[in-house]
Amino acid sequence: MIPKSYLIFEDESFLDSTVAKMNALRKSGQFCDVRLQVCGHELMAHRAVLACCSPYLFEIFNSDIESNGVSHVTFEDLNPEAVEILLNYAYTAQLRADKELVKEVYSAAKRLKMERVKQICGDYLLSKMDSQSAISFRNFASVMGDGRVLSEIDAYIQEHLLEVSEQEDFLKLPRLKLEVILEDNLSLPSNGKLYSKVLKWVQRCLWENGELLERLMEEVQMLYYSADHKLLDGTLIIEDQGLFGVGAEDHVQFVQKNPPRESGKTQRQLSSSSSGATSPSASSTPKSCRSEFKYIASEKTTNNTYLCLAVLDGLLCVIFLHSRSSPQTSPSATPCLLKSLSFEAQPEELGEQPLTAMHYARSGLGTAALHGRLIAAGGYNREECLRTVECYNPKDDQWTFTAPMRTPRARFQMAVLMGQLYVMGGSNGHSDELSCGETYDPRTDTWAQVPELRTNRCNAGVCSLNNTLFVVGGSDPCGQKGLKNCDSFDPVTMIWKNCAPLNIRRHQAAVCELEGFMYVIGGAESWNCLNTVERYNPQNDTWALISPMNVARRGAGVAVYDGKLFVVGGFDGSHALRCVEVYDPARNEWRMLGSMTMARSNAGVAVLGDIICAVGGFDGNNFLNTLEVYYPETDEWSDCTKAFCSSA
């Protein structure tokens, strides 16, 4: 009970008035003590307000408690409009976003760990989902790792699979085609049990036999359904009986989330022995605990044809299964499948065209993503080093020229720092390596000089980290020997400083920032290609070696997407490479991904939205001006326009 001597008064209008005033102060920049740099846009706010609604920013501010001035937080991969919407929400508790921006708001909320906003955005997307958008929504939810939304979408797809299968997104999913031979008087089990057997067969191919999923999809796979209800590989043929071999025991049972038994030779040992040397972290964790295999939905479309949507090793796929009776002779030839379903349409039927190429072929160019566009600068071809700069707009699939650099240069890298582009060093093709650098201001479309490097340097890595520009490694003046040098540049004071040197000399390394660390990947020591990787901690100015790549390479491109490093192409000492691999810092392990459509060394790589772009480079015979894009949700590269431009 409250004593009568207490004064109690509740002003119902005070809170709304205070919130409105605080938001007005934010928008006018008054009393603000934090600046958010979002893709070149500066957003002002109050640290205490943001710390209350974003655990991610709270952690940053809490680790920066010694700072008495204005905190700076940079996001190069978020939509400025989406972040502004979240700031309004933080001050007013009102979330207002155009439907076209909801995914961007969700992505920003995930980064800032604003779980309530994630839930609201997820519910909104679910409410707008139909058969036309189900696959794209599922891909988005998968990339975001939202199990709740994924389960809702999968339930919808189960009920509407045939309608979903007629949509454009579904038609472009990777396809696994199976021809199943039935022993006499047998019929396939019901769909759920059938695809449980199919998933186990795929797992067995990948983990026991060392197959690649993309190889399985290259042609029709022959399977045999035996009298003891086992699905067996059709390549085991007893020709004198005209039947598939039933001697292959189906004794390896892959159970999700359960590691294999340790007695005898476990499946983990089988997997590691078939794939060669692996890192300790990779070999100590069963792959069944790391990869997703999931049956989503299926339909029996004719008496002997089945359609299924499933997740195979984390990849959303269509499984097209055709069954027929046991043949009279050995069915060793690849059968011709009935093209009865619309997802057999060819790319030209889907209206796809090759992505527009650059005006100039370029290798050793600098690339970066800026304001939703891809910038490609300099580089060399068979004739000269270039100073021209081209800008690609994915919305209209067009390349346009911007202001050229002040100096022709190649064999350099480009970084985005505080909304501007920076290039340092390189070679002009006529003299020794360059020490000069320059910066591009997109607001004025002009380049300006920056203070020179302390040493002439070519093939160095360039990276922005904590509002500082870093230049790492590179070639000596003769171009034959790698350097350990690491220098940092403060764009405010315009001063260069020395940092701790690399552990290993390297030039033509791929360099990037991820979660507050700088990574230097591969490269070459003299001309010996490296697979080693070093990580720089700016807090204590130290370098540490981490898990090496699967493939030694120099002149590779690197991109950061969804908290992982994607390393693309390069040169292994003998050949230009098509192969791509990804690094997961949470597990300190590398794994191979789908390969590019063509080999590219010294190409440019950058991320536009949720798509990775690779442009230019050298394929071993020709200098390239072509562009291709990678879709992480499907692990596929494409040089066609349709899906890329529609997603931009």
Side-chain angles (χ1 to χ4, degrees), residues 391-472:
C391 175
Y392 178 75
N393 186 345
K395 292 184 178 179
D396 57 12
D397 184 37
Q398 292 296 319
W399 289 92
T400 56
F401 286 105
T402 65
M405 293 184 294
R406 300 165 65 96
T407 302
R409 70 180 75 221
R411 300 186 182 278
F412 69 100
Q413 294 180 14
M414 178 188 291
V416 178
L417 177 61
M418 298 177 68
Q420 297 197 358
L421 299 176
Y422 283 78
V423 299
M424 296 303 307
S427 171
N428 63 12
H430 301 292
S431 62
D432 293 338
E433 283 74 11
L434 302 171
S435 61
C436 62
E438 49 193 303
T439 180
Y440 174 76
D441 187 340
R443 294 169 298 182
T444 59
D445 191 28
T446 57
W447 291 86
Q449 279 189 308
V450 297
E452 292 190 348
L453 290 161
R454 300 184 181 192
T455 58
N456 293 12
R457 227 185 293 190
C458 180
N459 290 320
V462 177
C463 173
S464 63
L465 174 64
N466 296 340
N467 291 325
T468 302
L469 187 73
F470 289 83
V471 179
V472 188

Coordinates of all heavy atoms in Angstrom, one line a residue, residues 391-472:
C391 N 31.8 1.0 -64.4 CA 30.8 0.8 -63.4 C 29.7 0.0 -63.9 O 29.1 0.3 -64.9 CB 30.3 2.2 -62.9 SG 29.0 2.1 -61.6
Y392 N 29.4 -1.1 -63.2 CA 28.3 -2.0 -63.6 C 27.1 -1.9 -62.8 O 27.2 -2.0 -61.5 CB 28.8 -3.5 -63.6 CG 27.7 -4.5 -64.0 CD1 27.4 -4.7 -65.3 CD2 27.1 -5.3 -63.0 CE1 26.4 -5.6 -65.7 CE2 26.1 -6.2 -63.4 CZ 25.8 -6.3 -64.7 OH 24.8 -7.3 -65.1
N393 N 25.9 -1.6 -63.4 CA 24.7 -1.5 -62.7 C 23.9 -2.8 -63.0 O 23.4 -3.1 -64.1 CB 23.9 -0.3 -63.2 CG 22.6 -0.1 -62.4 OD1 22.1 -1.0 -61.7 ND2 22.0 1.1 -62.6
P394 N 23.7 -3.7 -61.9 CA 23.0 -4.9 -62.2 C 21.5 -4.8 -62.5 O 21.0 -5.7 -63.1 CB 23.2 -5.7 -60.8 CG 23.4 -4.6 -59.8 CD 24.1 -3.5 -60.5
K395 N 20.9 -3.7 -62.2 CA 19.5 -3.5 -62.5 C 19.2 -3.4 -64.0 O 18.2 -3.9 -64.5 CB 19.0 -2.2 -61.8 CG 19.0 -2.3 -60.3 CD 18.4 -1.1 -59.6 CE 18.3 -1.3 -58.1 NZ 17.7 -0.1 -57.4
D396 N 20.1 -2.8 -64.8 CA 19.9 -2.8 -66.2 C 21.0 -3.5 -67.0 O 21.0 -3.4 -68.2 CB 19.8 -1.3 -66.7 CG 21.1 -0.5 -66.3 OD1 22.1 -1.1 -65.9 OD2 21.0 0.7 -66.4
D397 N 21.9 -4.2 -66.3 CA 22.9 -5.0 -66.9 C 23.8 -4.2 -67.9 O 23.9 -4.5 -69.0 CB 22.3 -6.2 -67.6 CG 23.3 -7.1 -68.3 OD1 24.4 -7.3 -67.7 OD2 23.1 -7.7 -69.4
Q398 N 24.2 -3.0 -67.4 CA 25.0 -2.1 -68.3 C 26.3 -1.7 -67.6 O 26.3 -1.5 -66.4 CB 24.1 -0.9 -68.6 CG 22.9 -1.1 -69.5 CD 23.4 -1.6 -70.9 OE1 24.3 -1.1 -71.4 NE2 22.6 -2.6 -71.4
W399 N 27.3 -1.6 -68.4 CA 28.6 -1.0 -67.9 C 28.7 0.5 -68.4 O 28.4 0.7 -69.6 CB 29.8 -1.8 -68.5 CG 30.0 -3.1 -67.9 CD1 29.5 -4.3 -68.3 CD2 30.7 -3.4 -66.7 NE1 29.9 -5.3 -67.5 CE2 30.6 -4.8 -66.5 CE3 31.5 -2.7 -65.8 CZ2 31.3 -5.5 -65.4 CZ3 32.1 -3.3 -64.7 CH2 32.0 -4.7 -64.5
T400 N 29.1 1.4 -67.6 CA 29.3 2.8 -68.0 C 30.7 3.2 -67.4 O 31.2 2.6 -66.5 CB 28.2 3.7 -67.4 OG1 28.2 3.6 -66.0 CG2 26.9 3.4 -68.0
F401 N 31.3 4.2 -68.1 CA 32.6 4.7 -67.6 C 32.4 5.8 -66.6 O 31.5 6.6 -66.6 CB 33.4 5.3 -68.8 CG 33.9 4.3 -69.7 CD1 33.3 4.0 -71.0 CD2 35.0 3.5 -69.4 CE1 33.8 3.1 -71.8 CE2 35.5 2.5 -70.2 CZ 35.0 2.3 -71.4
T402 N 33.3 5.8 -65.6 CA 33.4 6.9 -64.6 C 34.7 7.6 -64.9 O 35.5 7.2 -65.8 CB 33.3 6.4 -63.2 OG1 34.4 5.5 -62.9 CG2 32.0 5.6 -63.0
A403 N 35.0 8.5 -64.0 CA 36.3 9.3 -64.2 C 37.5 8.3 -64.1 O 37.5 7.4 -63.3 CB 36.4 10.3 -63.1
P404 N 38.4 8.4 -65.1 CA 39.6 7.5 -65.0 C 40.6 7.9 -63.9 O 40.6 9.0 -63.4 CB 40.3 7.8 -66.4 CG 39.9 9.2 -66.7 CD 38.5 9.4 -66.2
M405 N 41.4 6.9 -63.5 CA 42.4 7.1 -62.5 C 43.4 8.1 -63.0 O 43.6 8.3 -64.2 CB 43.1 5.8 -62.1 CG 42.2 4.8 -61.4 SD 43.0 3.4 -60.8 CE 43.5 2.6 -62.4
R406 N 44.2 8.7 -62.1 CA 45.2 9.7 -62.5 C 46.4 8.9 -63.2 O 47.1 9.5 -64.0 CB 45.7 10.5 -61.3 CG 44.6 11.2 -60.6 CD 45.0 11.7 -59.2 NE 46.1 12.6 -59.3 CZ 46.0 14.0 -59.2 NH1 44.7 14.5 -59.2 NH2 47.0 14.7 -59.2
T407 N 46.6 7.7 -62.7 CA 47.8 6.9 -63.2 C 47.4 5.6 -63.7 O 46.6 4.9 -63.1 CB 48.8 6.7 -62.0 OG1 49.2 7.9 -61.4 CG2 50.0 5.9 -62.4
P408 N 47.8 5.2 -64.9 CA 47.6 3.8 -65.4 C 48.2 2.8 -64.4 O 49.4 3.0 -64.0 CB 48.3 3.7 -66.7 CG 48.5 5.2 -67.1 CD 48.7 5.9 -65.9
R409 N 47.5 1.8 -64.0 CA 48.0 0.8 -63.1 C 47.4 -0.5 -63.2 O 46.2 -0.6 -63.6 CB 48.0 1.3 -61.7 CG 46.6 1.4 -61.0 CD 46.7 2.0 -59.6 NE 47.0 3.4 -59.6 CZ 47.8 4.0 -58.7 NH1 48.5 3.3 -57.8 NH2 47.9 5.3 -58.7
A410 N 48.1 -1.6 -62.9 CA 47.6 -2.9 -62.9 C 48.3 -3.7 -61.7 O 49.2 -3.1 -61.1 CB 47.9 -3.7 -64.2
R411 N 47.9 -4.9 -61.5 CA 48.4 -5.7 -60.4 C 48.3 -4.9 -59.0 O 49.3 -4.8 -58.3 CB 49.9 -6.1 -60.6 CG 50.1 -6.9 -61.9 CD 51.5 -7.4 -62.1 NE 51.7 -8.1 -63.3 CZ 51.4 -9.4 -63.5 NH1 50.9 -10.1 -62.5 NH2 51.7 -10.0 -64.6
F412 N 47.1 -4.5 -58.8 CA 46.8 -3.8 -57.5 C 45.5 -4.2 -57.0 O 44.7 -4.9 -57.7 CB 46.8 -2.2 -57.7 CG 45.7 -1.8 -58.6 CD1 44.5 -1.2 -58.0 CD2 45.7 -1.9 -59.9 CE1 43.5 -0.8 -58.7 CE2 44.6 -1.4 -60.7 CZ 43.5 -0.9 -60.1
Q413 N 45.1 -3.8 -55.8 CA 43.8 -4.1 -55.3 C 43.1 -2.8 -54.8 O 43.8 -1.8 -54.6 CB 43.9 -5.1 -54.1 CG 44.4 -6.5 -54.5 CD 44.4 -7.5 -53.4 OE1 43.9 -7.2 -52.3 NE2 45.1 -8.6 -53.6
M414 N 41.8 -2.9 -54.7 CA 41.0 -1.7 -54.3 C 40.2 -2.0 -53.1 O 39.8 -3.1 -52.8 CB 40.1 -1.4 -55.5 CG 39.1 -0.2 -55.3 SD 37.9 -0.1 -56.6 CE 39.0 0.4 -58.0
A415 N 40.0 -1.0 -52.3 CA 39.2 -1.1 -51.0 C 38.3 0.1 -50.9 O 38.6 1.2 -51.3 CB 40.2 -1.2 -49.8
V416 N 37.2 -0.2 -50.2 CA 36.3 0.9 -49.8 C 36.5 1.3 -48.4 O 36.5 0.5 -47.5 CB 34.8 0.4 -50.0 CG1 33.8 1.6 -49.6 CG2 34.5 0.0 -51.4
L417 N 36.7 2.6 -48.2 CA 37.0 3.1 -46.8 C 36.2 4.4 -46.7 O 36.4 5.4 -47.4 CB 38.5 3.4 -46.7 CG 39.0 4.0 -45.3 CD1 38.6 3.1 -44.2 CD2 40.5 4.3 -45.3
M418 N 35.3 4.4 -45.7 CA 34.5 5.6 -45.4 C 33.8 6.2 -46.6 O 33.8 7.4 -46.9 CB 35.3 6.7 -44.7 CG 35.9 6.2 -43.3 SD 37.0 7.3 -42.5 CE 35.9 8.6 -42.1
G419 N 33.3 5.3 -47.4 CA 32.5 5.7 -48.6 C 33.3 6.1 -49.8 O 32.7 6.5 -50.8
Q420 N 34.6 5.9 -49.8 CA 35.5 6.2 -50.9 C 36.3 5.0 -51.3 O 36.6 4.1 -50.5 CB 36.4 7.4 -50.6 CG 35.6 8.7 -50.3 CD 36.5 10.0 -50.4 OE1 37.7 9.9 -50.7 NE2 35.9 11.1 -50.3
L421 N 36.7 5.0 -52.6 CA 37.6 4.0 -53.1 C 39.1 4.3 -52.9 O 39.4 5.5 -53.2 CB 37.3 3.7 -54.6 CG 35.9 3.2 -54.9 CD1 35.8 3.1 -56.4 CD2 35.6 1.9 -54.3
Y422 N 39.9 3.4 -52.5 CA 41.3 3.6 -52.4 C 42.1 2.6 -53.3 O 41.7 1.4 -53.2 CB 41.8 3.5 -51.0 CG 41.5 4.7 -50.1 CD1 40.2 4.9 -49.6 CD2 42.5 5.7 -49.9 CE1 39.9 6.0 -48.9 CE2 42.2 6.8 -49.1 CZ 40.9 7.0 -48.6 OH 40.6 8.1 -47.9
V423 N 43.1 3.0 -54.0 CA 44.0 2.1 -54.7 C 45.4 2.5 -54.4 O 45.7 3.7 -54.2 CB 43.8 2.2 -56.3 CG1 42.4 1.8 -56.6 CG2 44.1 3.6 -56.8
M424 N 46.3 1.5 -54.2 CA 47.6 1.8 -53.8 C 48.6 0.9 -54.6 O 48.3 -0.3 -54.8 CB 47.9 1.5 -52.3 CG 47.1 2.4 -51.4 SD 47.3 4.2 -51.6 CE 49.1 4.3 -51.5
G425 N 49.7 1.5 -55.0 CA 50.8 0.8 -55.7 C 50.4 0.2 -57.0 O 49.6 0.7 -57.7
G426 N 51.0 -1.0 -57.3 CA 50.7 -1.6 -58.6 C 51.9 -1.4 -59.5 O 53.0 -1.0 -59.1
S427 N 51.6 -1.5 -60.8 CA 52.6 -1.3 -61.9 C 51.9 -0.6 -63.0 O 50.7 -0.8 -63.3 CB 53.1 -2.7 -62.4 OG 53.9 -2.5 -63.5
N428 N 52.7 0.3 -63.6 CA 52.2 1.1 -64.8 C 52.6 0.4 -66.1 O 52.3 1.0 -67.2 CB 52.5 2.5 -64.7 CG 54.0 2.8 -64.8 OD1 54.8 1.8 -65.1 ND2 54.5 4.0 -64.5
G429 N 53.4 -0.7 -66.0 CA 53.8 -1.4 -67.2 C 55.0 -0.8 -67.9 O 55.5 -1.4 -68.9
H430 N 55.6 0.3 -67.4 CA 56.7 0.9 -68.1 C 57.9 1.1 -67.1 O 59.0 1.4 -67.6 CB 56.3 2.3 -68.7 CG 55.2 2.2 -69.7 ND1 55.3 1.6 -70.9 CD2 53.9 2.6 -69.6 CE1 54.2 1.7 -71.5 NE2 53.3 2.3 -70.8
S431 N 57.7 1.1 -65.8 CA 58.8 1.3 -64.9 C 58.6 0.4 -63.7 O 57.9 -0.6 -63.8 CB 58.7 2.8 -64.4 OG 57.5 3.0 -63.7
D432 N 59.4 0.6 -62.7 CA 59.3 -0.2 -61.5 C 57.9 -0.1 -60.9 O 57.1 0.7 -61.3 CB 60.4 0.2 -60.5 CG 61.8 -0.2 -61.0 OD1 61.9 -1.0 -61.9 OD2 62.7 0.5 -60.5
E433 N 57.7 -0.9 -59.8 CA 56.4 -0.8 -59.1 C 56.2 0.6 -58.6 O 57.1 1.4 -58.3 CB 56.5 -1.8 -57.9 CG 56.3 -3.3 -58.3 CD 57.5 -3.9 -59.0 OE1 58.6 -3.2 -58.9 OE2 57.4 -5.0 -59.5
L434 N 54.9 0.9 -58.4 CA 54.5 2.2 -58.0 C 54.4 2.3 -56.5 O 54.1 1.4 -55.8 CB 53.1 2.5 -58.6 CG 53.0 2.4 -60.1 CD1 51.5 2.6 -60.5 CD2 53.8 3.5 -60.8
S435 N 54.6 3.5 -56.0 CA 54.4 3.8 -54.6 C 53.2 4.8 -54.4 O 52.7 5.0 -53.3 CB 55.7 4.5 -54.0 OG 56.0 5.7 -54.7
C436 N 52.7 5.3 -55.5 CA 51.7 6.3 -55.4 C 50.3 5.6 -55.2 O 50.1 4.5 -55.6 CB 51.6 7.2 -56.7 SG 51.3 6.3 -58.2
G437 N 49.4 6.4 -54.7 CA 48.0 5.9 -54.5 C 47.0 7.0 -54.8 O 47.4 8.2 -54.9
E438 N 45.8 6.6 -54.9 CA 44.7 7.7 -55.1 C 43.4 7.2 -54.6 O 43.2 6.0 -54.3 CB 44.6 8.0 -56.6 CG 44.6 6.9 -57.6 CD 44.8 7.3 -59.0 OE1 44.1 8.2 -59.5 OE2 45.7 6.8 -59.6
T439 N 42.5 8.1 -54.4 CA 41.2 7.9 -53.8 C 40.1 8.5 -54.7 O 40.3 9.6 -55.3 CB 41.1 8.4 -52.4 OG1 39.8 8.1 -51.8 CG2 41.3 9.9 -52.3
Y440 N 39.0 7.8 -54.8 CA 37.9 8.2 -55.6 C 36.7 8.6 -54.8 O 36.3 7.9 -53.9 CB 37.5 7.1 -56.6 CG 36.2 7.3 -57.4 CD1 36.3 8.2 -58.5 CD2 35.0 6.8 -57.1 CE1 35.2 8.4 -59.3 CE2 33.9 7.0 -57.9 CZ 34.0 7.8 -59.0 OH 32.9 8.1 -59.7
D441 N 36.2 9.8 -55.0 CA 35.0 10.3 -54.4 C 33.8 10.2 -55.3 O 33.7 10.9 -56.3 CB 35.2 11.8 -54.0 CG 34.1 12.3 -53.1 OD1 33.0 11.7 -53.1 OD2 34.3 13.3 -52.4
P442 N 32.8 9.3 -55.0 CA 31.7 9.1 -55.9 C 30.8 10.3 -56.0 O 30.1 10.4 -57.0 CB 31.0 7.8 -55.3 CG 31.4 7.8 -53.9 CD 32.8 8.4 -53.8
R443 N 30.8 11.1 -55.0 CA 29.9 12.3 -55.0 C 30.4 13.3 -56.1 O 29.5 14.0 -56.7 CB 29.9 13.0 -53.7 CG 29.3 12.1 -52.5 CD 29.5 12.7 -51.2 NE 30.9 12.8 -50.9 CZ 31.4 13.3 -49.7 NH1 30.6 13.7 -48.8 NH2 32.7 13.3 -49.5
T444 N 31.7 13.4 -56.3 CA 32.2 14.4 -57.3 C 32.7 13.7 -58.5 O 33.1 14.4 -59.5 CB 33.3 15.2 -56.6 OG1 34.3 14.4 -56.2 CG2 32.7 16.0 -55.4
D445 N 32.8 12.4 -58.5 CA 33.3 11.6 -59.7 C 34.8 12.1 -60.0 O 35.1 12.3 -61.1 CB 32.4 11.7 -60.9 CG 32.8 10.8 -62.0 OD1 33.4 9.7 -61.7 OD2 32.6 11.1 -63.2
T446 N 35.6 12.2 -58.9 CA 37.0 12.6 -59.1 C 37.9 11.7 -58.3 O 37.6 11.2 -57.3 CB 37.1 14.1 -58.6 OG1 36.7 14.2 -57.3 CG2 36.3 15.0 -59.5
W447 N 39.2 11.7 -58.8 CA 40.3 11.0 -58.1 C 41.2 12.0 -57.6 O 41.5 13.0 -58.2 CB 41.0 10.0 -59.1 CG 40.2 8.8 -59.6 CD1 39.3 8.8 -60.6 CD2 40.2 7.6 -59.0 NE1 38.8 7.5 -60.7 CE2 39.3 6.7 -59.7 CE3 40.9 7.0 -57.9 CZ2 39.1 5.4 -59.4 CZ3 40.6 5.6 -57.6 CH2 39.7 4.9 -58.3
A448 N 41.8 11.7 -56.4 CA 42.7 12.6 -55.8 C 43.9 11.8 -55.2 O 43.7 10.6 -54.8 CB 42.1 13.4 -54.7
Q449 N 45.1 12.3 -55.2 CA 46.2 11.6 -54.7 C 46.2 11.5 -53.2 O 45.6 12.4 -52.5 CB 47.5 12.4 -55.1 CG 48.0 12.1 -56.6 CD 49.4 12.7 -56.8 OE1 49.6 13.8 -56.6 NE2 50.3 11.8 -57.3
V450 N 46.8 10.4 -52.7 CA 47.0 10.3 -51.3 C 48.5 10.1 -51.1 O 49.3 9.8 -52.0 CB 46.2 9.0 -50.7 CG1 44.7 9.2 -50.9 CG2 46.7 7.8 -51.4
P451 N 49.0 10.3 -49.8 CA 50.4 10.2 -49.6 C 51.0 8.8 -50.0 O 50.3 7.8 -49.9 CB 50.5 10.3 -48.0 CG 49.3 11.2 -47.7 CD 48.3 10.8 -48.6
E452 N 52.2 8.8 -50.6 CA 52.8 7.6 -51.1 C 53.1 6.6 -50.1 O 53.4 6.9 -48.9 CB 54.0 8.0 -52.0 CG 53.7 8.8 -53.2 CD 54.9 9.0 -54.1 OE1 56.0 8.6 -53.7 OE2 54.7 9.4 -55.3
L453 N 53.2 5.4 -50.6 CA 53.7 4.3 -49.7 C 55.2 4.5 -49.4 O 55.9 5.2 -50.1 CB 53.6 2.9 -50.4 CG 52.1 2.4 -50.6 CD1 52.1 1.3 -51.7 CD2 51.7 1.8 -49.3
R454 N 55.7 3.9 -48.4 CA 57.1 4.1 -48.0 C 58.0 3.3 -48.9 O 59.2 3.6 -49.1 CB 57.3 3.6 -46.6 CG 56.4 4.4 -45.6 CD 56.7 3.9 -44.1 NE 55.9 4.7 -43.2 CZ 56.1 4.7 -41.9 NH1 57.1 4.0 -41.4 NH2 55.3 5.4 -41.1
T455 N 57.4 2.2 -49.6 CA 58.2 1.5 -50.5 C 57.4 1.3 -51.8 O 56.1 1.2 -51.7 CB 58.6 0.1 -50.0 OG1 57.4 -0.6 -49.6 CG2 59.5 0.2 -48.8
N456 N 58.0 1.2 -52.9 CA 57.3 0.8 -54.2 C 56.8 -0.6 -54.0 O 57.5 -1.5 -53.6 CB 58.3 0.9 -55.4 CG 58.7 2.4 -55.6 OD1 58.4 3.2 -54.8 ND2 59.3 2.6 -56.8
R457 N 55.6 -0.8 -54.4 CA 55.0 -2.1 -54.2 C 54.0 -2.5 -55.3 O 53.2 -1.7 -55.7 CB 54.3 -2.2 -52.9 CG 54.7 -3.4 -52.1 CD 53.9 -3.6 -50.8 NE 54.2 -2.6 -49.8 CZ 53.8 -2.6 -48.6 NH1 53.1 -3.6 -48.2 NH2 54.1 -1.7 -47.7
C458 N 54.1 -3.7 -55.8 CA 53.2 -4.3 -56.8 C 52.6 -5.6 -56.2 O 53.2 -6.3 -55.4 CB 54.0 -4.6 -58.1 SG 53.0 -5.3 -59.4
N459 N 51.4 -6.0 -56.7 CA 50.8 -7.2 -56.2 C 50.6 -7.3 -54.7 O 50.6 -8.3 -54.1 CB 51.6 -8.4 -56.7 CG 51.6 -8.7 -58.2 OD1 50.5 -8.5 -58.8 ND2 52.7 -9.0 -58.7
A460 N 50.4 -6.1 -54.1 CA 50.1 -6.1 -52.7 C 48.6 -6.2 -52.4 O 47.8 -5.9 -53.3 CB 50.6 -4.8 -52.1
G461 N 48.2 -6.7 -51.2 CA 46.8 -6.7 -50.8 C 46.4 -5.4 -50.2 O 47.2 -4.8 -49.4
V462 N 45.2 -5.0 -50.4 CA 44.7 -3.8 -49.8 C 43.4 -4.1 -49.2 O 42.5 -4.8 -49.7 CB 44.5 -2.7 -50.9 CG1 43.9 -1.4 -50.3 CG2 45.8 -2.3 -51.6
C463 N 43.2 -3.5 -48.0 CA 42.0 -3.9 -47.2 C 41.7 -2.7 -46.2 O 42.6 -2.0 -45.7 CB 42.3 -5.2 -46.4 SG 41.0 -5.6 -45.2
S464 N 40.4 -2.5 -46.0 CA 40.0 -1.5 -45.0 C 39.5 -2.2 -43.7 O 38.8 -3.2 -43.8 CB 38.8 -0.6 -45.5 OG 37.7 -1.4 -45.8
L465 N 39.9 -1.7 -42.6 CA 39.6 -2.4 -41.3 C 39.6 -1.3 -40.2 O 40.6 -0.6 -40.1 CB 40.7 -3.5 -41.0 CG 40.6 -4.1 -39.6 CD1 39.3 -4.9 -39.5 CD2 41.8 -5.1 -39.4
N466 N 38.5 -1.2 -39.5 CA 38.4 -0.2 -38.4 C 38.8 1.2 -38.9 O 39.6 1.9 -38.3 CB 39.4 -0.6 -37.3 CG 39.0 -1.9 -36.6 OD1 37.8 -2.4 -36.8 ND2 39.9 -2.5 -35.9
N467 N 38.2 1.6 -40.0 CA 38.4 3.0 -40.6 C 39.9 3.3 -40.9 O 40.3 4.4 -40.9 CB 37.8 4.0 -39.7 CG 36.3 4.0 -39.6 OD1 35.7 3.7 -40.6 ND2 35.7 4.3 -38.5
T468 N 40.6 2.2 -41.2 CA 42.0 2.3 -41.5 C 42.3 1.5 -42.8 O 41.7 0.4 -43.0 CB 42.9 1.8 -40.4 OG1 42.6 2.6 -39.2 CG2 44.4 2.0 -40.7
L469 N 43.2 2.0 -43.7 CA 43.5 1.3 -44.9 C 44.8 0.5 -44.6 O 45.8 1.1 -44.1 CB 43.8 2.3 -46.0 CG 44.0 1.6 -47.4 CD1 42.7 1.1 -47.9 CD2 44.6 2.7 -48.4
F470 N 44.9 -0.8 -45.0 CA 46.0 -1.6 -44.8 C 46.6 -2.1 -46.2 O 45.8 -2.4 -47.1 CB 45.7 -2.9 -43.9 CG 45.5 -2.6 -42.5 CD1 44.2 -2.1 -42.1 CD2 46.5 -2.7 -41.6 CE1 44.0 -1.9 -40.7 CE2 46.3 -2.4 -40.2 CZ 45.0 -2.0 -39.8
V471 N 47.9 -2.0 -46.3 CA 48.5 -2.6 -47.5 C 49.5 -3.7 -47.1 O 50.4 -3.4 -46.2 CB 49.3 -1.5 -48.3 CG1 50.0 -2.1 -49.5 CG2 48.3 -0.4 -48.7
V472 N 49.3 -4.9 -47.6 CA 50.0 -6.1 -47.1 C 50.7 -6.8 -48.1 O 50.2 -7.0 -49.2 CB 48.9 -7.0 -46.4 CG1 49.6 -8.2 -45.7 CG2 48.0 -6.3 -45.5

